């Protein structure tokens, strides 16, 4: 018979052994689960990413030289990256566009788009922020190398206020080769002191072959804007959406009236001396419509061939036709056609059957298409007489008769 001490000691020596085996089992199980989780995550990333991962600093800038990503494994990994990933890029880009969040709307623009309620072909649904190009958050830890880089705009919609600039930008955004910032940057009129680096950082990322755009209608009437844009790039393409200056002035007044119901009447603001018929050209609603005067400043820095003048009226009556001209001007393939639009009889505006980043119809928001107040016919007649010589000069300068005096 074994001594009592040895017999009693056997269970105590076996107990640590079983605990050790159990710990090893748990460790192996945890390692297996962790490996499966990592593999699953990598598999998911492979479906959404189309290139090697680039390290980013916490501030959102790529590690290394400003504006350039540092490949984690060096150039060999880039060369060895599967060609299949590159073939998937267009589909992945579309998926990313569909799921990105909207950028904040610029309060000064007011041109929100609203989504059509399903089942109501012509009834506008809830209003929302303008369909915009939003960037990944600054703290993103990884970024695809071929998601592109931020560039200064190659084309700018410089005017005019209440001419149809928001509609044009939203229509253009349907094109896969156009990337535009949603809110109006107001760089060349209000924020020029912040520098081009600040301005570039506002822009969306673009891939090779894509055009970066922005729109700020007040540029057209800002004296310093032409020289400043030329200093950035003499090759910048400029787009001006123009509209009958009388109708534009009334629309401008209507927008202000919606915000400040206590302002004087349109008639009283139009004249310095109504009995003498003296128009107050210091009032911005009147001044903006003297297109020929503003255009003279731009032609000192840009050739007329580098500017495209879009008819705000035709943008409503024939959006596909005007978009065709714009696409040609920008050197883009004519992708936006009649099939992208339908006319909303309730709003009196063309709407997109499918706006960028959405599978539902989109229309201009409730801030567009406001009912204009009744204006004294004599005041309208005098305004037309006032604008006529400026309009004729504008027609000569642009080589296009917009028909506002017919």
């Amino acid at each position: 018979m074994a001594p009592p001490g040895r017999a009693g000691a056997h269970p105590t020596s076996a107990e640590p052994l079983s605990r050790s085996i159990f710990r090893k089992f748990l460790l192996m199980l945890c390692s297996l689960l962790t490996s499966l989780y990592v593999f699953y995550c990598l598999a998911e990333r492979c479906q959404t990413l189309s290139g090697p991962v680039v390290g980013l600093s916490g501030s959102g800038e790529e590690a290394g030289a400003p504006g350039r990503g540092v490949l984690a494994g060096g150039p060999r990994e880039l060369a060895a990256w599967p060609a299949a990933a590159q073939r998937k890029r267009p589909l992945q880009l579309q998926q990313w566009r569909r799921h990105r969040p909207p950028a904040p709307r610029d309060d000064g623009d007011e041109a929100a788009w609203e989504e059509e309620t399903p089942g109501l072909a012509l009834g506008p649904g809830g209003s929302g922020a303008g369909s915009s190009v939003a960037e990944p958050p600054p703290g993103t830890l990884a970024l695809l190398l071929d998601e592109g880089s931020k560039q200064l705009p190659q084309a700018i919609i410089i005017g005019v206020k209440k001419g149809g600039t928001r509609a044009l930008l939203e229509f253009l955004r349907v094109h896969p080769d156009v990337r535009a910032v949603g809110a109006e940057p107001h760089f060349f009129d209000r924020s020029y002191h912040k520098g081009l680096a600040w301005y570039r950082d506002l822009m969306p990322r673009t891939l090779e072959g894509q055009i970066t755009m922005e729109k700020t209608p007040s540029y057209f009437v800002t004296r310093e804007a032409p020289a400043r844009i030329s200093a950035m790039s003499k090759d910048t393409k400029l787009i001006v959406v123009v509209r009958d200056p009388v109708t534009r002035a009334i629309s401008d007044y209507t927008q202000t009236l919606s915000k400040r119901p206590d302002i004087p009447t349109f008639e009283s603001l139009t004249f310095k001396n109504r009995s003498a018929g003296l128009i107050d050209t210091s009032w911005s609603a009147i001044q903006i419509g003297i297109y020929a005067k503003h255009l003279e400043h731009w032609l000192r820095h840009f050739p007329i061939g580098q500017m495209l003048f879009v008819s705000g009226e035709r943008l409503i009556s024939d959006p596909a036709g005007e978009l065709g001209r714009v696409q040609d001007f920008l050197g883009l393939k004519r992708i936006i056609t009649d099939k992208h639009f339908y006319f909303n009889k309730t709003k009196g505006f063309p709407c997109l059957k499918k706006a960028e980043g959405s599978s539902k119809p989109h229309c201009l928001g409730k801030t567009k298409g406001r009912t204009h107040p009744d204006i004294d016919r004599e005041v309208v007649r005098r305004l037309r007489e006032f604008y006529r010589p400026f309009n004729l000069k504008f027609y000569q300068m642009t080589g296009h008769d917009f028909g506002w005096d017919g």
Side-chain angles (χ1 to χ4, degrees):
M1 178 180 294
R6 296 177 68 91
H10 182 70
T12 57
S13 62
E15 186 175 351
L17 183 61
S18 61
R19 287 181 179 176
S20 176
I21 294 174
F22 183 67
R23 287 196 199 98
K24 290 181 179 179
F25 174 74
L26 283 179
L27 183 61
M28 292 175 63
L29 182 61
C30 290
S31 299
L32 178 62
L33 291 174
T34 302
S35 300
L36 289 173
Y37 176 74
V38 171
F39 178 78
Y40 172 79
C41 290
L42 288 174
E44 288 295 303
R45 294 292 289 173
C46 285
Q47 292 178 7
T48 57
L49 301 183
S50 56
V53 173
V54 180
L56 289 184
S57 64
S59 64
E61 294 295 331
E62 289 88 343
R68 298 189 64 179
V70 179
L71 187 64
R76 291 183 180 178
E77 283 75 3
L78 177 61
W81 195 260
Q86 297 299 323
R87 291 194 296 269
K88 293 180 182 178
R89 183 178 65 79
L91 177 59
Q92 293 157 357
L93 184 60
Q94 292 174 9
Q95 294 171 343
W96 177 73
R97 282 176 172 168
R98 278 199 300 271
H99 294 96
R100 64 188 165 205
R105 184 184 62 184
D106 181 14
D107 293 337
D109 181 26
E110 252 206 327
W113 280 70
E114 55 187 31
E115 199 168 77
E116 294 286 318
T117 304
L120 299 178
L122 296 176
S127 63
S131 176
S132 345
V133 176
E135 289 302 304
T140 305
L141 296 177
L143 179 68
L144 258 184
L145 190 63
D146 69 348
E147 272 189 357
S149 58
K150 295 187 176 185
Q151 305 290 335
L152 291 169
Q154 295 91 44
I156 303 177
I157 301 174
I158 60 173
V160 298
K161 181 183 178 185
K162 308 308 296 178
T165 57
R166 172 56 62 181
L168 176 60
L169 188 69
E170 296 302 327
F171 294 163
L172 277 174
R173 204 177 263 138
V174 173
H175 200 292
D177 290 333
V178 172
R179 301 278 278 124
V181 62
E184 294 174 2
H186 283 281
F187 174 66
F188 295 103
D189 57 349
R190 301 178 190 172
S191 304
Y192 194 64
H193 62 281
K194 295 182 180 179
L196 286 174
W198 177 86
Y199 183 50
R200 181 190 288 110
D201 196 51
L202 297 178
M203 298 300 127
R205 293 183 181 273
T206 51
L207 301 172
E208 185 178 353
Q210 291 183 320
I211 293 177
T212 301
M213 291 189 66
E214 71 114 317
K215 76 104 178 171
T216 304
S218 54
Y219 290 163
F220 188 63
V221 297
T222 301
R223 291 289 293 266
E224 301 83 5
R228 290 172 175 177
I229 295 177
S230 178
M232 177 188 73
S233 174
K234 295 182 181 296
D235 297 324
T236 306
K237 293 185 176 182
L238 307 173
I239 300 175
V240 190
V241 187
V242 289
R243 181 183 182 188
D244 180 340
V246 177
T247 308
R248 197 222 65 81
I250 297 172
S251 180
D252 198 336
Y253 172 80
T254 304
Q255 176 176 308
T256 305
L257 184 65
S258 70
K259 298 176 182 178
R260 298 168 51 198
D262 58 336
I263 62 172
T265 64
F266 180 87
E267 290 83 352
S268 62
L269 290 170
T270 298
F271 296 99
K272 282 183 178 180
N273 187 325
R274 185 167 181 178
S275 60
L278 188 61
I279 304 292
D280 187 359
T281 57
S282 65
W283 184 29
S284 63
I286 300 296
Q287 187 185 63
I288 291 172
I290 309 175
Y291 302 140
K293 175 185 173 183
H294 303 301
L295 181 56
E296 287 177 348
H297 301 307
W298 288 91
L299 293 181
R300 293 171 188 162
H301 299 273
F302 292 93
I304 193 70
Q306 213 165 303
M307 304 181 72
L308 179 70
F309 300 89
V310 176
S311 167
E313 288 83 9
R314 285 199 68 216
L315 200 57
I316 295 174
S317 63
D318 182 20
E322 284 299 278
L323 264 293
R325 293 180 60 233
V326 177
Q327 290 172 95
D328 291 345
F329 175 70
L330 295 175
L332 299 171
K333 183 179 179 181
R334 284 202 178 197
I335 290 179
I336 307 171
T337 60
D338 285 323
K339 69 180 182 181
H340 289 93
F341 302 97
Y342 74 95
F343 191 79
N344 186 309
K345 296 180 181 178
T346 303
K347 298 187 70 65
F349 285 104
C351 298
L352 287 171
K353 292 181 180 178
K354 280 189 178 182
E356 187 222 24
S358 174
S359 59
K360 298 178 181 179
H362 272 58
C363 282
L364 286 167
K366 295 177 181 178
T367 60
K368 294 300 177 183
R370 295 186 183 96
T371 301
H372 291 178
D374 291 329
I375 306 298
D376 188 308
R377 291 186 179 181
E378 179 62 19
V379 173
V380 173
R381 185 188 68 78
R382 291 191 180 184
L383 269 178
R384 293 206 177 279
E385 289 180 354
F386 166 77
Y387 278 121
R388 184 170 290 110
F390 296 109
N391 290 344
L392 294 176
K393 184 176 181 181
F394 184 66
Y395 299 164
Q396 292 174 353
M397 296 171 76
T398 61
H400 184 79
D401 185 344
F402 289 90
W404 301 322
D405 304 284

